[in-house]
Amino acid sequence: MDGIWEAIKGIGSIVGLLTGGFVVWDRFLSSAPSMIIRAKPLLTGSVEKWPILDVTNKGDRPIIIRWKNGERLNSFGLAKDNSTRSIVESLVPGSSAVSIDTGESLKIEMFLPSNLEAIDDGNQIEVEVFWSFAQPKIFKRFRKRRVTISKSNLHALLGKNSRFKDDG
């Protein structure tokens, strides 16, 4: 009889841990925005493609997306849009921010690193983005999200000729 009771307590504790893990995931991680690097035509009807950061707000409140501007060594640069003002702003040290409403998606312009040719094909190129809810309930600080892609995958995404090394 004691063995059965111990088995029931063990199963109950496992179910309790799984339930607690799901609640923590649901509260803190499920409402985090998705950030995906995509390719878009440089101009309408153009074959040349350019990277964009597609940010989708999956939460129930508006979010603020923020990033650092300035030198772009080994990392992407970001601009609010493709206007001259936004592009110049992305080159001047400081930071930029945009808001994304509930259930909305925003396409943020990306600029290639200034030293792209010096980066090996297998190395990762990244951009750091900070996000926070506009009206946070508990966690009031900006959270950091690092979005990365390898140089060879970036070239494939943009439709450029890339040399793939055989790992086999």
Side-chain angles (χ1 to χ4, degrees):
M1 187 70 166
D2 284 339
I4 294 172
W5 182 245
E6 291 299 321
I8 291 172
K9 287 192 327 186
I11 291 171
S13 63
I14 290 171
V15 169
L17 285 172
L18 292 175
T19 302
F22 175 76
V23 168
V24 168
W25 174 81
D26 187 50
R27 281 282 174 219
F28 295 108
L29 301 177
S30 71
S31 59
S34 67
M35 299 181 190
I36 301 169
I37 297 173
R38 298 190 191 277
K40 74 165 192 163
L42 191 56
L43 300 169
T44 305
S46 173
V47 178
E48 185 75 21
K49 293 182 182 176
W50 200 253
I52 58 166
L53 183 63
D54 191 357
V55 183
T56 303
N57 181 4
K58 300 184 295 184
D60 59 350
R61 293 169 281 159
I63 59 172
I64 306 296
I65 302 292
R66 188 178 57 132
W67 61 88
K68 293 178 184 175
N69 295 325
E71 181 60 38
R72 298 187 313 259
L73 283 176
N74 301 324
S75 66
F76 291 106
L78 297 176
K80 294 177 187 176
D81 53 42
N82 59 1
S83 68
T84 304
R85 181 182 181 98
S86 292
I87 293 169
V88 170
E89 187 178 290
S90 76
L91 297 171
V92 177
S95 66
S96 295
V98 294
S99 66
I100 304 174
D101 205 2
T102 304
E104 296 291 317
S105 182
L106 181 68
K107 292 168 181 19
I108 300 172
E109 300 290 327
M110 298 181 83
F111 299 100
L112 300 173
S114 54
N115 64 336
L116 182 64
E117 294 305 317
I119 298 173
D120 291 334
D121 282 347
N123 285 351
Q124 299 289 314
I125 305 171
E126 66 182 25
V127 62
E128 280 186 351
V129 180
F130 302 88
W131 73 275
S132 176
F133 290 109
Q135 299 102 13
K137 292 180 182 175
I138 299 172
F139 195 77
K140 298 183 189 241
R141 295 191 139 171
F142 275 88
R143 300 168 210 177
K144 181 168 61 170
R145 183 84 178 268
R146 184 172 282 137
V147 183
T148 64
I149 189 169
S150 70
K151 182 180 174 184
S152 59
N153 287 348
L154 176 67
H155 280 276
L157 182 70
L158 299 178
K160 307 228 185 235
N161 290 336
S162 183
R163 299 176 311 273
F164 289 99
K165 295 177 184 167
D166 186 11
D167 293 335

